[in-house]
Amino acid sequence: MRAGWLGLLGLVVSTATLAADTLSRVRESGTLRLGFRMDAPPYSYRSADGSPAGYMVDLCREVSENVKKSVGDPKLKIDFVEVTAANRLEAVRDGTVDILCDPTSVTLSRREIVDFSLPTIVDGASVLYRTSGPNHLADFDGKRIGVLQGTTTEQTLKTALWQLDIKPQVVPMKTHEEGIRALSAGTLDAYFGDRGILLHYLRQSRKFAEIRIEDQYYTFETYALALPKDDGRLRLLVDATLADLYRTRSVQRIFTRSFGNTAPDEFVRALFVIHGVAK
């Protein structure tokens, strides 16, 4: 009886190990599946020519080169799979994608679903507002504030409003573009989101002169690449790739391509130094 249970336990452990061995599956299938979002520039989006682009996507492209070497297949197919803010973590958990290449904040609750790589960047939540209206979140009592639904930023906004003791109307948005359009059209009084994303849309807006971003950060959030849970081989390969980019400062080239001439701030520079782990 005991031997039977031990045998069954061994089978379960073995099956779990095989299920989590992404690199073996990639070798057998000849395809690496990278998840990206079309609505989170400059981190993860679809460029004008339709191809996936952005800071996180470029980091994943660097990772994919090392995956090719690891599985011994220089012609490995890289398949970009579009995900949304709502289904991205489940896409990793269920095996729809092998690596998630978008601005996903690392949280303990999310670690119940996926694992995370070394940090990739630090960002924080802020608010866009029209120059004709209030210019500080505390002054938006009774106003309409948009935020991307199903994100940690949505929870951050609710916490900030509770701390400020104000009660605006929080309007969930399906995409950042929808929120920015609503703000420009006047159907929203403000739009709350990750500062890097807000700055990108602010630079792209035709109504640049009519919209501003608040100086204050309401959170500091660490982003990382989400990975299948309990897959140590893949996580080590991803971390080694990122650490090498940080240590050799090659990440500067990727950062500049996504953020223009804007230099990394002190928090991001510190992240690169701290996580440029030696081989």
Side-chain angles (χ1 to χ4, degrees), residues 7-22 229-230:
L8 179 60
L9 178 60
L11 178 61
V12 170
V13 172
S14 176
T15 302
T17 301
L18 289 174
D21 191 356
T22 304
K229 197 165 179 61
D230 300 324

Side-chain angles (χ1 to χ4, degrees), residues 2 104 170 192 254:
R2 180 179 174 82
T104 297
V170 176
F192 194 83
I254 299 172

Side-chain angles (χ1 to χ4, degrees), residues 117-192:
S117 69
L118 290 175
T120 53
I121 203 165
V122 176
D123 201 350
S126 193
V127 61
L128 284 180
Y129 60 89
R130 293 199 309 278
T131 54
S132 59
N135 59 11
H136 189 278
L137 187 61
D139 300 323
F140 280 91
D141 193 17
K143 303 292 186 178
R144 298 156 300 181
I145 303 178
V147 66
L148 189 65
Q149 64 184 9
T151 61
T152 56
T153 309
E154 183 178 18
Q155 297 304 314
T156 297
L157 174 60
K158 292 178 180 178
T159 299
L161 298 178
W162 177 80
Q163 293 173 337
L164 294 168
D165 194 24
I166 61 173
K167 295 182 178 179
Q169 179 185 351
V170 176
V171 185
M173 293 287 158
K174 294 181 179 179
T175 67
H176 289 300
E177 288 186 351
E178 179 186 11
I180 301 301
R181 285 197 301 268
L183 177 62
S184 299
T187 55
L188 286 179
D189 299 298
Y191 187 69
F192 194 83

Side-chain angles (χ1 to χ4, degrees), residues 57-225:
V57 170
D58 284 348
L59 290 180
C60 279
R61 285 196 170 100
E62 296 289 335
V63 169
S64 70
E65 292 303 310
N66 281 338
V67 171
K68 290 178 182 179
K69 295 175 184 177
S70 177
V71 302
D73 184 359
K75 296 183 179 180
L76 182 72
K77 179 182 178 183
I78 308 301
D79 187 12
F80 282 94
V81 181
E82 187 177 314
V83 297
T84 67
N87 71 11
R88 54 186 168 168
L89 296 179
E90 287 73 16
V92 179
R93 180 197 64 192
D94 299 339
T96 304
V97 301
D98 301 314
I99 305 174
L100 180 59
C101 315
D102 86 325
T104 297
S105 300
V106 179
T107 68
L108 292 177
S109 60
R110 286 174 172 175
R111 281 184 172 178
E112 296 179 358
I113 305 173
V114 298
D115 281 343
F116 287 100
S117 69
L118 290 175
T120 53
I121 203 165
V122 176
D123 201 350
S126 193
V127 61
L128 284 180
Y129 60 89
R130 293 199 309 278
T131 54
S132 59
N135 59 11
H136 189 278
L137 187 61
D139 300 323
F140 280 91
D141 193 17
K143 303 292 186 178
R144 298 156 300 181
I145 303 178
V147 66
L148 189 65
Q149 64 184 9
T151 61
T152 56
T153 309
E154 183 178 18
Q155 297 304 314
T156 297
L157 174 60
K158 292 178 180 178
T159 299
L161 298 178
W162 177 80
Q163 293 173 337
L164 294 168
D165 194 24
I166 61 173
K167 295 182 178 179
Q169 179 185 351
V170 176
V171 185
M173 293 287 158
K174 294 181 179 179
T175 67
H176 289 300
E177 288 186 351
E178 179 186 11
I180 301 301
R181 285 197 301 268
L183 177 62
S184 299
T187 55
L188 286 179
D189 299 298
Y191 187 69
F192 194 83
D194 295 337
R195 191 174 183 84
I197 295 175
L198 296 184
L199 283 171
H200 173 85
Y201 279 111
L202 182 59
R203 288 192 293 266
Q204 300 295 319
S205 175
R206 295 180 180 178
K207 297 187 176 183
F208 182 89
E210 301 175 19
I211 299 175
R212 292 286 185 272
I213 188 167
E214 187 176 359
D215 291 334
Q216 182 170 341
Y217 279 80
Y218 289 92
T219 59
F220 285 101
E221 299 191 43
T222 302
Y223 295 158
L225 305 179

